[in-house]
Amino acid sequence: MFSREIFRDPKFDPIEFVARHKHISLEQIKLELGQIQKTLKSELTELINRDYALFISLQSNMLGADKLLKLLQDPIVDFKQQVQSVEHKYAQLLQETRETLEQKNQLMQKRHMLLHLINLQQSIDRLEISLQDMDPNGLQRASNEYHKMMQLYQEEKSHPFVQKQTWKIQELGKQLSQQLTAHLEKLLDAKESIQEITRIYILLDKIPDVLVVFQQKIMGPFLESHLIARKPQLTEFDHLESVLDETLSFIKSDCVPFHESTHALLLKTDYCLLVDGVWDSISQALQNHWTSMFSPSDPDQFHKAYKTTEKFTKQFRVLLDQESQRKMDAKLQSFEEKWQLSVYYQLRENEIVSAFERDLGPETIQELGLHFKASQVLVLSITKLWDASIFLKALDLRFWKLTLLMIMRFLDWASKFETEDTILLYNDISILNRMILELYHVLMQPQLVQDPIFEQVLQQLFKSELLETLEASIINNITNQCTEPLERFVMGVPAQYRRTNKDSPQEPSAFLQMLFQPMETALGSVDLEETSVWRQKIVSNIADQFASSVQQMLESVKRTEESLKKFKKKTTVTSGASDEDKIRMQVQLDIEAVDQKLKQNGLQSTLTERLQPLLQG
């Protein structure tokens, strides 16, 4: 039943074997395994019997093997000893070779160091001679020699001989720097190209020295006479724009030429003449001598100073290439942090919100198509917030958040505001929705990141439950105004014809002309898309109330008519209509008039079907 191949598998697992055959009883498995065991024993016995003779003869065949192994052992031992002897000799030779190579390497290092020391001394001597020559070619040679000398110095600076020469090397470096500075100042004064000397400074890795000299000779005098000498008194910054305009003109005329002559060289370094030399000087001068403009003690003057400076930095940035602009942006971020923008925002927020809260009341107006002063105040507050004289790009998200908070505050006020003119409040909110979206497209969107989420948030704010509540209140209020006298008028119809000998009616009741007047007046006071839907709902409500009142009246007429019949004697029927007939005729005319009103508003009437049984008497 079980294949013997299963048990030959190295991965055979008894537990897994039993589990895989759990559908077979253990007795049956035991019986099958017993049969396999018997077969294996039988085969093993047969195998032993077959090869037994060979097994017995194995001992006799091994006689004399010990002597043969002994004969082989002696040559092998001798060979091993010989190999070990050769190995020892080679190890000695290898060690001697290594020691010789180490000695040679040390000699080479000493020779190399000695050559460096000789070259260093020679370089020092040549540099001393070169520094005596002040012409540009001499400076070039001296700079090259100094560069070579410093390389040698760095390699052997721990050597006692070099340490003794350190003071001399430093002194030569000072002399070279002085001569380079003097030559650079001469070129700057003459407004000549500083390209070649800049290349020397790059070779010597002394670019910051160029920037320092440039700031002292070019930027320093100008800033002292223009920007520092005209620093503001208190918080008056009216002259800042003219100062920065003059500064920009000076940069274009006196600094840009130097920048253009050095820019290609400085691209390989981490420096830019306009950014690290010019802007750093201007930024430092503003921070040290125009300190008051960074403080918003006077928000209007602070805004003016910030916008003027922002305009200047944008114009300055245009003078730079793309790589320099990235470097400039990092410095502008640091400069931006000097402005107390958070304080400015708090002042503007308090100014606008306090005025907004102060005028958030029930007063009515008739301006901008709005009816409540609170609505106008919201529009004016948002307009003021985003006005160019107040708004700052750096605070765009804060201004946006404040805008949303003011809208939400207005909607909260509107939800708690109790007024009989609910329709006017709904009208204001609808107009505000359109007006604020227009303000968003005109004032806000150009200042914000281009993302549709901003407009979606504004639209969502005005799609609140408040409008649904106001709409239900409007429909209910107008319906009540129209239907308040309805029952009295309808119940008064029988009195017009009972025992009055009045002629049969030819026109609808007069009160129907006034029934829809409150609705027309209220809905006519606003221009909203929703009024057509409201009109349908109000007319439908009035028709329902009219039908209910007419039904009550006709049922009353019928009861009265039946009561009178009990007391009247049988008389000859006249050809004229009875009082009850005239009443029903009048009601029929009134129903037709209301039906007509329903049809005018696109509604289907069921008044006739509903009241027909009562109209038939």
Side-chain angles (χ1 to χ4, degrees):
M1 184 176 183
F2 302 120
S3 173
R4 288 166 60 176
E5 297 298 327
I6 297 176
F7 305 103
R8 292 178 180 173
D9 189 352
K11 297 181 180 178
F12 174 75
D13 186 357
I15 298 176
E16 182 184 354
F17 173 79
V18 174
R20 191 165 64 248
H21 297 88
K22 60 183 179 180
H23 59 284
I24 304 174
S25 65
L26 291 176
E27 291 296 330
Q28 183 66 25
I29 293 175
K30 183 178 180 182
L31 180 62
E32 292 293 333
L33 293 176
Q35 291 292 336
I36 294 174
Q37 185 181 22
K38 289 179 181 179
T39 304
L40 289 174
K41 285 182 178 180
S42 176
E43 292 177 358
L44 181 59
T45 301
E46 182 181 351
L47 179 63
I48 292 173
N49 291 335
R50 186 175 67 237
D51 296 331
Y52 183 73
L54 181 62
F55 178 75
I56 294 300
S57 64
L58 182 63
Q59 182 177 3
S60 60
N61 292 335
M62 294 295 291
L63 292 175
D66 294 342
K67 294 179 179 180
L68 293 174
L69 291 174
K70 183 67 175 174
L71 291 174
L72 291 173
Q73 182 179 5
D74 293 339
I76 292 174
V77 170
D78 292 341
F79 183 73
K80 179 181 179 181
Q81 291 174 351
Q82 293 175 9
V83 169
Q84 288 177 344
S85 176
V86 171
E87 183 180 12
H88 178 69
K89 291 180 179 179
Y90 273 107
Q92 288 180 336
L93 289 173
L94 181 62
Q95 180 62 29
E96 292 174 359
T97 303
R98 285 176 177 171
E99 291 175 356
T100 303
L101 290 174
E102 180 64 26
Q103 292 174 1
K104 183 178 180 181
N105 185 47
Q106 291 177 0
L107 290 173
M108 291 293 293
Q109 289 181 355
K110 290 180 180 180
R111 179 178 180 277
H112 184 73
M113 180 180 65
L114 183 59
L115 288 174
H116 275 192
L117 295 177
I118 295 173
N119 290 334
L120 177 61
Q121 184 60 54
Q122 292 175 348
S123 182
I124 292 173
D125 295 340
R126 286 195 296 270
L127 181 58
E128 288 180 324
I129 297 173
S130 298
L131 287 176
Q132 297 174 5
D133 188 0
M134 282 293 294
D135 66 84
N137 292 329
L139 280 177
Q140 181 68 55
R141 288 192 299 272
S143 299
N144 291 335
E145 197 62 55
Y146 179 82
H147 179 68
K148 178 181 177 181
M149 179 190 71
M150 290 306 297
Q151 287 181 328
L152 295 170
Y153 171 77
Q154 292 298 327
E155 290 181 11
E156 306 295 343
K157 62 181 179 181
S158 60
H159 194 278
F161 173 79
V162 176
Q163 291 178 352
K164 290 180 181 180
Q165 299 291 330
T166 299
W167 68 271
K168 196 170 188 178
I169 292 172
Q170 292 176 346
E171 185 64 29
L172 291 173
K174 290 180 182 178
Q175 292 179 24
L176 178 61
S177 295
Q178 291 172 357
Q179 292 192 21
L180 286 173
T181 299
H183 186 60
L184 178 59
E185 289 177 348
K186 180 179 177 181
L187 293 174
L188 292 174
D189 289 338
K191 297 188 183 304
E192 296 179 5
S193 173
I194 59 173
Q195 185 177 25
E196 291 302 323
I197 196 169
T198 301
R199 185 177 283 108
I200 294 174
Y201 274 101
I202 293 175
L203 174 68
L204 301 178
D205 195 22
K206 292 180 176 292
I207 295 300
D209 293 355
V210 177
L211 301 176
V212 171
V213 174
F214 182 84
Q215 290 172 342
Q216 292 174 349
K217 293 296 293 181
I218 301 298
M219 295 304 301
F222 174 82
L223 294 177
E224 187 67 37
S225 61
H226 288 74
L227 200 144
I228 297 175
R230 300 172 64 184
K231 62 183 180 181
Q233 301 298 324
L234 299 178
T235 58
E236 293 294 331
F237 310 118
D238 294 335
H239 62 297
L240 176 61
E241 184 171 7
S242 62
V243 170
L244 293 181
D245 286 344
E246 292 172 4
T247 303
L248 187 65
S249 298
F250 170 78
I251 292 171
K252 292 178 179 178
S253 61
D254 290 52
C255 300
V256 169
F258 291 119
H259 167 73
E260 291 175 346
S261 66
T262 60
H263 183 59
L265 295 173
L266 294 179
L267 277 176
K268 303 173 184 178
T269 70
D270 193 33
Y271 296 96
C272 172
L273 187 66
L274 285 182
V275 176
D276 298 297
V278 177
W279 168 252
D280 281 357
S281 300
I282 296 171
S283 173
Q284 200 62 41
L286 289 174
Q287 294 176 47
N288 292 340
H289 302 282
W290 290 67
T291 311
S292 57
M293 80 175 186
F294 296 96
S295 175
S297 54
D298 184 338
D300 291 334
Q301 288 295 325
F302 176 86
H303 181 276
K304 185 175 182 179
Y306 183 90
K307 295 295 289 184
T308 302
T309 308
E310 183 182 49
K311 175 186 173 184
F312 169 77
T313 55
K314 288 181 179 178
Q315 292 173 332
F316 180 84
R317 196 172 179 274
V318 172
L319 303 176
L320 306 173
D321 62 274
Q322 190 172 2
E323 184 64 30
S324 300
Q325 285 180 355
R326 282 195 288 269
K327 184 176 179 62
M328 179 68 179
D329 290 340
K331 290 184 176 289
L332 283 179
Q333 186 175 358
S334 176
F335 181 72
E336 189 85 5
E337 294 172 358
K338 304 298 179 182
W339 297 89
Q340 298 180 28
L341 293 172
S342 296
V343 178
Y344 172 77
Y345 172 77
Q346 290 293 332
L347 293 173
R348 289 303 193 186
E349 180 184 30
N350 293 337
E351 172 190 344
I352 293 174
V353 171
S354 59
F356 174 68
E357 290 286 348
R358 183 178 61 248
D359 294 331
L360 200 63
E363 293 83 358
T364 59
I365 58 168
Q366 286 295 331
E367 294 182 21
L368 304 175
L370 302 169
H371 298 83
F372 291 97
K373 188 176 182 180
S375 306
Q376 182 193 42
V377 168
L378 176 63
V379 175
L380 295 178
S381 298
I382 293 176
T383 303
K384 182 178 181 180
L385 182 65
W386 292 85
D387 187 77
S389 63
I390 290 180
F391 175 80
L392 290 178
K393 179 67 175 177
L395 299 170
D396 53 355
L397 293 181
R398 291 192 182 186
F399 277 61
W400 169 254
K401 181 179 179 181
L402 182 57
T403 301
L404 299 182
L405 289 174
M406 286 195 294
I407 295 173
M408 293 171 65
R409 176 68 182 97
F410 171 82
L411 294 175
D412 180 66
W413 168 83
S415 66
K416 300 173 182 177
F417 180 46
E418 297 181 0
T419 177
E420 295 180 357
D421 298 324
T422 312
I423 191 171
L424 298 182
L425 182 58
Y426 187 101
N427 176 76
D428 277 17
I429 294 176
S430 297
I431 293 176
L432 282 174
N433 188 9
R434 294 195 299 269
M435 293 181 70
I436 291 176
L437 283 176
E438 290 176 2
L439 288 176
Y440 168 76
H441 290 297
V442 175
L443 296 178
M444 306 178 209
Q445 190 177 35
Q447 304 295 346
L448 296 170
V449 178
Q450 296 305 308
D451 192 328
I453 189 65
F454 293 110
E455 186 171 1
Q456 292 170 11
V457 169
L458 281 180
Q459 292 173 340
Q460 194 64 34
L461 275 180
F462 286 95
K463 292 180 180 178
S464 61
E465 295 180 359
L466 174 61
L467 290 179
E468 296 178 4
T469 303
L470 290 176
E471 181 176 334
S473 177
I474 291 168
I475 293 172
N476 186 56
N477 290 342
I478 296 177
T479 300
N480 290 338
Q481 291 177 25
C482 293
T483 59
E484 181 181 3
L486 181 60
E487 184 175 357
R488 185 175 72 255
F489 286 142
V490 171
M491 298 305 289
V493 170
Q496 297 179 28
Y497 295 100
R498 186 167 284 130
R499 299 180 182 179
T500 60
N501 291 326
K502 191 174 180 180
D503 293 336
S504 297
Q506 303 295 323
E507 297 178 350
S509 299
F511 72 83
L512 289 179
Q513 297 179 1
M514 303 171 57
L515 181 61
F516 297 97
Q517 190 59 42
M519 178 188 72
E520 300 298 343
T521 301
L523 298 185
S525 64
V526 294
D527 182 18
L528 296 171
E529 296 178 357
E530 295 88 343
T531 52
S532 59
V533 177
W534 294 351
R535 192 184 301 273
Q536 289 181 345
K537 292 180 179 179
I538 294 169
V539 170
S540 179
N541 290 344
I542 294 173
D544 289 343
Q545 293 261 6
F546 173 76
S548 178
S549 298
V550 168
Q551 185 174 353
Q552 277 186 316
M553 183 268 286
L554 291 176
E555 289 174 350
S556 175
V557 168
K558 187 174 183 180
R559 288 195 299 270
T560 302
E561 184 178 12
E562 291 175 351
S563 298
L564 290 175
K565 286 181 180 179
K566 295 178 181 180
F567 298 101
K568 285 184 178 180
K569 295 180 180 179
K570 293 183 179 180
T571 58
T572 304
V573 178
T574 61
S575 59
S578 66
D579 292 346
E580 287 72 17
D581 291 337
K582 295 177 182 178
I583 292 170
R584 292 189 179 91
M585 291 171 63
Q586 184 64 65
V587 170
Q588 182 65 45
L589 291 171
D590 292 348
I591 290 174
E592 292 174 358
V594 174
D595 275 348
Q596 184 64 28
K597 191 69 175 178
L598 288 169
K599 292 177 182 178
Q600 289 175 359
N601 287 277
L603 298 172
Q604 186 175 358
S605 173
T606 60
L607 291 178
T608 302
E609 292 81 354
R610 180 176 171 183
L611 300 173
Q612 191 63 38
L614 294 173
L615 289 172
Q616 292 176 354

